[in-house]
């Protein structure tokens, strides 16, 4: 008896998401190493923590495939992109990477919707919310760098940014949790 509750297409797209999350972990890992080599220990810490989060995402998708009776296929992951030129490029590329991952999550949602696979649709909603948060966290990085002076940021403001990011929370407050008394 076939107990696989995933269609072939859903199983394939979820397996490709497993690889994407592993890729994302490598990207954060490599940017963390780059940041550390430039003396930004706090930013490196931030990226290393996020690399771990991406591995958690990979684990969730893997577990979901198995939970539904599907087969997980672990494949090779590509090499991370080459080192960025500076912090601005590092944060911009990180943002683009998150947006690309959001698109991949939306593809899962769309396919699950088309196939009326409500279990997968429901599972993917966790990732829809997570991506709002991940994009916001990186938007905040770009905002903070801009306030620090962007390309003309002084050593002192970069030092402060680095210190802040070393201790920054891993979760971003979301609009859905806002109220008049607690706007953020
Ligand atoms: Fe897995 O959330 Fe970022 O990419």
């Amino acid at each position: 008896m076939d107990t696989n509750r995933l269609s072939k297409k859903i199983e394939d797209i979820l397996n490709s998401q497993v690889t994407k999350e592993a890729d994302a972990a490598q990207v954060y890992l490599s940017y963390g190493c780059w940041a550390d080599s430039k003396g930004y220990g706090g930013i490196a810490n931030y990226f290393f923590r996020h690399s771990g989060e991406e591995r958690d995402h990979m684990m969730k998708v893997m577990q979901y495939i198995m939970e539904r009776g599907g087969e997980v296929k672990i494949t090779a992951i590509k090499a991370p992109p080459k080192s960025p030129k500076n912090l601005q490029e590092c944060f911009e590329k990180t943002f683009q990477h998150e947006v690309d991952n959001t698109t991949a999550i939306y593809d899962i949602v769309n396919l699950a919707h088309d196939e009326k696979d409500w279990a997968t649709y429901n599972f993917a909603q966790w990732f829809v919310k997570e991506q709002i948060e991940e994009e916001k966290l990186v938007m905040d990085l770009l905002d903070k760098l801009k306030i620090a002076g962007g390309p003309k940021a002084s050593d002192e403001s970069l030092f402060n940014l680095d210190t802040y990011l070393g201790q920054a929370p891993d979760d971003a407050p979301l609009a859905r949790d806002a109220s008049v008394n607690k706007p953020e």
Side-chain angles (χ1 to χ4, degrees):
M1 182 187 181
D2 184 9
T3 56
N4 188 348
R5 301 285 289 127
L6 303 173
S7 73
K8 172 82 175 73
K9 273 165 121 182
I10 294 275
E11 192 179 270
D12 286 349
I13 202 170
L14 288 172
N15 267 306
S16 118
Q17 193 60 34
V18 169
T19 309
K20 279 189 182 5
E21 300 294 347
D23 274 340
Q26 294 295 88
V27 171
Y28 277 107
L29 210 54
S30 73
Y31 285 175
C33 291
W34 171 81
D36 190 76
S37 76
K38 299 291 167 200
Y40 300 121
I43 294 171
N45 183 297
Y46 179 95
F47 279 126
F48 291 150
R49 290 188 334 256
H50 281 272
S51 175
E53 275 202 26
E54 299 297 353
R55 297 278 298 178
D56 289 345
H57 298 166
M58 177 198 71
M59 185 58 70
K60 285 180 199 303
V61 184
M62 272 173 50
Q63 286 295 352
Y64 177 73
I65 296 171
M66 295 188 284
E67 184 174 271
R68 301 297 289 157
E71 190 186 340
V72 174
K73 292 192 186 89
I74 301 298
T75 64
I77 45 177
K78 48 182 196 264
K82 58 180 181 358
S83 295
K85 287 198 288 283
N86 48 40
L87 273 186
Q88 181 74 33
E89 188 180 282
C90 176
F91 292 171
E92 280 176 8
K93 287 197 161 164
T94 305
F95 181 67
Q96 190 53 53
H97 192 84
E98 285 301 341
V99 171
D100 291 347
N101 201 29
T102 300
T103 304
I105 296 294
Y106 290 176
D107 287 344
I108 296 174
V109 172
N110 285 330
L111 185 61
H113 187 274
D114 289 350
E115 293 197 4
K116 296 189 172 42
D117 176 349
W118 305 123
T120 300
Y121 185 87
N122 179 271
F123 171 74
Q125 295 309 309
W126 186 91
F127 283 86
V128 172
K129 177 174 179 255
E130 181 69 8
Q131 285 307 121
I132 299 173
E133 218 176 294
E134 300 261 290
E135 287 184 13
K136 179 158 191 265
L137 281 170
V138 193
M139 277 182 215
D140 283 352
L141 291 185
L142 284 161
D143 283 349
K144 290 204 166 35
L145 183 58
K146 190 168 162 196
I147 291 166
K152 296 198 187 97
S154 67
D155 287 347
E156 189 187 354
S157 55
L158 288 176
F159 176 78
N160 289 334
L161 177 66
D162 186 58
T163 306
Y164 167 78
L165 288 176
Q167 300 146 7
D170 292 326
D171 300 319
L174 294 183
R176 67 186 66 189
D177 300 316
S179 65
V180 174
N181 292 330
K182 196 175 145 291
E184 222 196 32

